[in-house]
Amino acid sequence: MKIVKLNRRFKQFKDAGHTVALRFNGWNTDVPKVETICRERLGGRSYDNRNSWYGYFGSPARGNTYRPYWISFRNESDLTLVLLSVNLTQNG
């Protein structure tokens, strides 16, 4: 999982006004945990980009076989709330 600051190169920044996102290397066990916390704390559904958060699969990078999974947020404070609420295990 990586925190990414969105700018004009990202579709969610242009279309929905989201400023920050979490990027996962594909679908893993942490994604449902984060989406559950988003649904409980922020409300809405993951597939509606009019909400304060939005979950979606991105395009695979050149040479990669996996598609990254993104959860973008309109406000940085929403991301902070989610990260403090979710209990993720550290691999490695």
Side-chain angles (χ1 to χ4, degrees):
M1 175 181 72
K2 185 176 181 179
I3 298 173
V4 179
K5 180 80 172 169
L6 302 180
N7 57 24
R8 62 183 174 85
R9 296 180 301 137
F10 295 92
K11 183 178 180 181
Q12 287 305 313
F13 181 82
K14 291 185 265 188
D15 293 347
H18 292 202
T19 58
V20 67
L22 292 173
R23 183 179 63 95
F24 297 89
N25 291 334
W27 188 268
N28 60 28
T29 58
D30 293 337
V31 173
K33 294 177 188 177
V34 174
E35 282 196 340
T36 301
I37 294 296
C38 290
R39 207 172 294 113
E40 290 173 356
R41 302 279 194 271
L42 304 174
R45 292 176 235 134
S46 65
Y47 53 84
D48 187 4
N49 69 356
R50 292 173 296 178
N51 293 329
S52 61
W53 68 282
Y54 182 62
Y56 59 99
F57 280 100
S59 300
R62 188 176 310 189
N64 290 339
T65 57
Y66 67 88
R67 293 179 64 163
Y69 190 78
W70 295 81
I71 300 176
S72 64
F73 299 90
R74 187 164 284 135
N75 302 316
E76 291 180 13
S77 58
D78 293 340
L79 172 62
T80 304
L81 173 71
V82 169
L83 289 178
L84 290 173
S85 299
V86 70
N87 183 16
L88 300 178
T89 59
Q90 187 69 1
N91 296 334

